Amino acid sequence: MSSSPATKPDNSDPAKHNAATLSIDGKEYLLPVRHGTVGPEVVDVSSLYNDTGLFTYDPGFASTASCDSELTFIDGENGILLHRGYPIDQLADRGTFLETCHLLLYGELPTVDQYADFQNRVTMHTMVHEQMNRMYAGFRRDAHPMAIMVGVVGALSAFYHDSTDITDPVQRDIAAIRMIAKMPTIAAMAFKYSIGQPFIYPRNDLDYSANFLQMCFAVPCEVYKADPTLARAMDRIFILHADHEQNASTSTVRLAGSSGANPFACISAGIACLWGPAHGGANEAALNMLSEIGTVDRIPEFVERAKDKDDPFRLMGFGHRVYKNYDPRAKIMQKSCHEVLDALGLKNDPTLQVALELERIALEDDYFVDKKLYPNIDFYSGITLRALGFPTTMFTVLFALARTVGWIAQWREMIEDPDQRIGRPRQLYTGPAEREYVPIDQRG
Ligand code: CMC
């Protein structure tokens, strides 16, 4: 069997392919090639099984485009990330998280009036149903806040029936706004519950990120005012995590949604997927690793372990399935990290010193250079979040909070796609072929 084009597409080549020929036992099949705005073309294999009786095989989906999407573009070789065409560094440097939310949900950056309206709609939905407070009491105090998030976000569908009809565009929009608005409240409540403090209600006179910080760090007996530098840093962290194309949790949300499940249940499935240490859980794991290394002189020992095939240890916060260059988010995150530590007088934070030196050593090491392993967003986010006052268990919760807009925008895009069908991958079966049932007393 042979196929052409069989190699990696040359994106610098302006000549586009129209079709690929697949040859099986001398018979040729023409597979259409589809073109996006930028990025690799795709060979459309959707009729392959009907035409040939063969499946494609791509565990980990490294060569598979699962959908059309207009939301986010990543060029991993060149370290580029665009949301609806806008580079992530411009959004993070000049915009706000809610602007990015508007952009992802509705396709354009808002005008002044649209922004005021959007901000107002989000703000009007920040409270959660009072009965939800009682759900938290059902969890152990030492429950991981991600476990609480999975449960409480899934339970939203039990509280907001009027936004679960996925065939109604108005309900879909309300569900999206509700989730963006309520996620900070739910996340802050998970945090407060874990430290035994009373829940703090949202304050609608504050912006999105300042409100989140006050729900996390205010207490009823004191006046709290979020430091604007820290609130801005929080907002930037949210922007950096807002969406990231068809990653594992987003694909989970799309797959769950493809069956017609309600949006709150789908987002809960995304949160469960994000929790894993290879995905969103890496920020927690990265900070734990930096703390374990502890001092700069111990770095070589850990670098050697990361390179050892017989040792499962990996440098957390390093490497990425798509980025084979510096993760563009990591650059901004590193800058933000310095700003936060400066603002808090923590410039000489030992973990930051370990991170900077580890990055320097790894980027000069042949193993990491050859495998194109660069720091990803999680490498510096943990240090920043800890400086902001969050315990490590909250790191992935903050990722989930920010990624909610990406999940819901991707979910909506899928539901609104006229060609949408339930996602149903196939397999290469390697178990036993058909065999006869043997009664238990006759089994050897
Ligand atoms: N430290 C040491 N070696 C590594 C690392 C690492 N962090 N990452 C990859 N490698 C090696 C790996 O051993 C393999 O070597 P070989 O080819 O000799 O077998 C090679 O690089 C390719 O790795 P892979 O696991 O096949 O690559 P992948 O695309 O399946 O995995 C990854 C990507 C992000 C899961 C992986 O790089 C990793 O485990 N990194 C650490 C966890 C992490 O930081 N995750 C956050 C990702 S960014 C945020 C997010 O998307 O959630």
Side-chain angles (χ1 to χ4, degrees):
M1 189 179 358
S2 70
S3 74
S4 64
T7 51
K8 220 168 148 189
D10 177 7
N11 296 327
S12 61
D13 180 2
K16 302 265 188 188
H17 304 100
N18 290 320
T21 314
L22 179 69
S23 158
I24 305 169
D25 298 335
K27 189 164 176 206
E28 297 212 324
Y29 299 87
L30 213 56
L31 300 169
V33 172
R34 297 185 53 213
H35 318 287
T37 328
V38 279
E41 301 156 88
V42 301
V43 180
D44 183 343
V45 295
S46 52
S47 65
L48 187 73
Y49 178 62
N50 268 348
D51 296 345
T52 67
L54 298 181
F55 295 142
T56 55
Y57 182 68
D58 183 20
F61 311 122
S63 298
T64 295
S66 60
C67 60
D68 289 20
S69 181
E70 298 179 357
L71 291 168
T72 294
F73 172 72
I74 303 174
D75 176 345
E77 300 295 330
N78 295 307
I80 292 170
L81 168 61
L82 310 175
H83 291 318
R84 305 255 192 205
Y86 294 101
I88 188 65
D89 53 319
Q90 293 184 20
L91 293 171
D93 279 344
R94 302 200 228 151
T96 66
F97 178 63
L98 281 190
E99 271 184 293
T100 301
C101 291
H102 189 285
L103 176 69
L104 288 168
L105 283 176
Y106 304 115
E108 293 298 339
L109 286 168
T111 61
V112 173
D113 287 348
Q114 286 168 338
Y115 190 56
D117 174 62
F118 183 64
Q119 210 168 13
N120 183 52
R121 280 194 293 145
V122 171
T123 306
M124 290 307 131
H125 282 285
T126 49
M127 280 176 67
V128 293
H129 194 290
E130 193 64 13
Q131 255 176 287
M132 286 198 82
N133 295 0
R134 295 199 216 138
M135 282 198 68
Y136 287 80
F139 290 97
R140 285 170 56 136
R141 285 267 177 215
D142 61 356
H144 195 291
M146 279 299 273
I148 298 181
M149 293 297 287
V150 172
V152 175
V153 173
L156 284 173
S157 46
F159 288 91
Y160 300 101
H161 301 281
D162 58 342
S163 47
T164 53
D165 178 358
I166 64 162
T167 62
D168 178 353
V170 176
Q171 292 202 26
R172 289 201 296 269
D173 194 53
I174 296 174
I177 298 285
R178 276 194 169 131
M179 262 181 281
I180 292 164
K182 293 186 197 307
M183 207 56 87
T185 315
I186 292 169
M189 287 165 82
F191 175 49
K192 286 299 200 189
Y193 182 73
S194 71
I195 55 173
Q197 288 187 3
F199 298 142
I200 301 292
Y201 285 92
R203 267 187 43 198
N204 289 353
D205 59 319
L206 298 177
D207 67 38
Y208 192 85
S209 297
N211 173 49
F212 176 61
L213 290 179
Q214 79 88 26
M215 286 192 290
C216 288
F217 299 117
V219 284
C221 48
E222 274 177 23
V223 175
Y224 174 87
K225 189 169 177 335
D227 178 325
T229 309
L230 304 187
R232 175 69 191 129
M234 190 76 259
D235 206 63
R236 194 174 283 143
I237 291 171
F238 291 157
I239 296 171
L240 294 180
H241 289 86
D243 191 44
H244 212 225
E245 207 224 57
Q246 307 310 320
N247 56 81
S249 57
T250 301
S251 299
T252 301
V253 170
R254 277 185 177 258
L255 193 58
S258 77
S259 73
N262 78 67
F264 304 106
C266 296
I267 300 301
S268 172
I271 295 173
C273 177
L274 184 75
W275 193 0
H279 194 3
N283 51 17
E284 183 175 344
L287 188 76
N288 289 340
M289 175 196 75
L290 292 171
S291 306
E292 193 191 342
I293 296 174
T295 49
V296 167
D297 57 301
R298 296 190 63 208
I299 292 174
E301 175 197 327
F302 283 82
V303 169
E304 284 316 306
R305 282 187 58 197
K307 288 155 52 174
D308 182 353
K309 278 251 159 280
D310 300 323
D311 189 329
F313 175 77
R314 285 186 168 196
L315 282 192
M316 300 313 284
F318 257 80
H320 198 275
R321 169 62 63 80
V322 181
Y323 293 120
K324 300 304 167 199
N325 201 321
Y326 216 102
D327 177 343
R329 303 167 302 170
K331 280 189 191 153
I332 308 162
M333 198 65 243
Q334 191 201 47
K335 196 172 127 212
S336 223
C337 179
H338 282 293
E339 279 170 16
V340 167
L341 294 184
D342 282 356
L344 293 169
L346 298 170
K347 230 175 170 170
N348 296 323
D349 179 77
T351 324
L352 178 65
Q353 305 311 319
V354 171
L356 289 169
E357 186 59 8
L358 177 58
E359 178 183 345
R360 192 190 64 75
I361 292 176
L363 290 181
E364 286 176 357
D365 190 296
D366 284 348
Y367 174 93
F368 293 91
V369 173
D370 292 349
K371 293 187 188 302
K372 299 187 176 174
L373 298 170
Y374 291 85
N376 59 50
I377 188 170
D378 293 321
F379 194 65
Y380 284 104
S381 62
I383 304 173
T384 319
L385 294 174
R386 187 181 62 177
L388 287 171
F390 292 103
T392 47
T393 51
M394 276 297 287
F395 293 177
T396 317
V397 173
L398 301 180
F399 192 156
L401 187 172
R403 182 55 57 84
T404 295
V405 63
W407 289 329
I408 198 77
Q410 299 264 359
W411 171 84
R412 265 176 34 154
E413 187 180 60
M414 179 196 66
I415 297 290
E416 287 162 17
D417 179 350
D419 296 330
Q420 188 266 325
R421 302 166 75 194
I422 187 168
R424 177 55 170 94
R426 301 302 302 268
Q427 62 175 10
L428 178 67
Y429 176 68
T430 54
E434 184 171 338
R435 50 184 170 162
E436 200 67 28
Y437 177 84
V438 181
I440 193 162
D441 56 347
Q442 292 170 30
R443 290 175 214 156

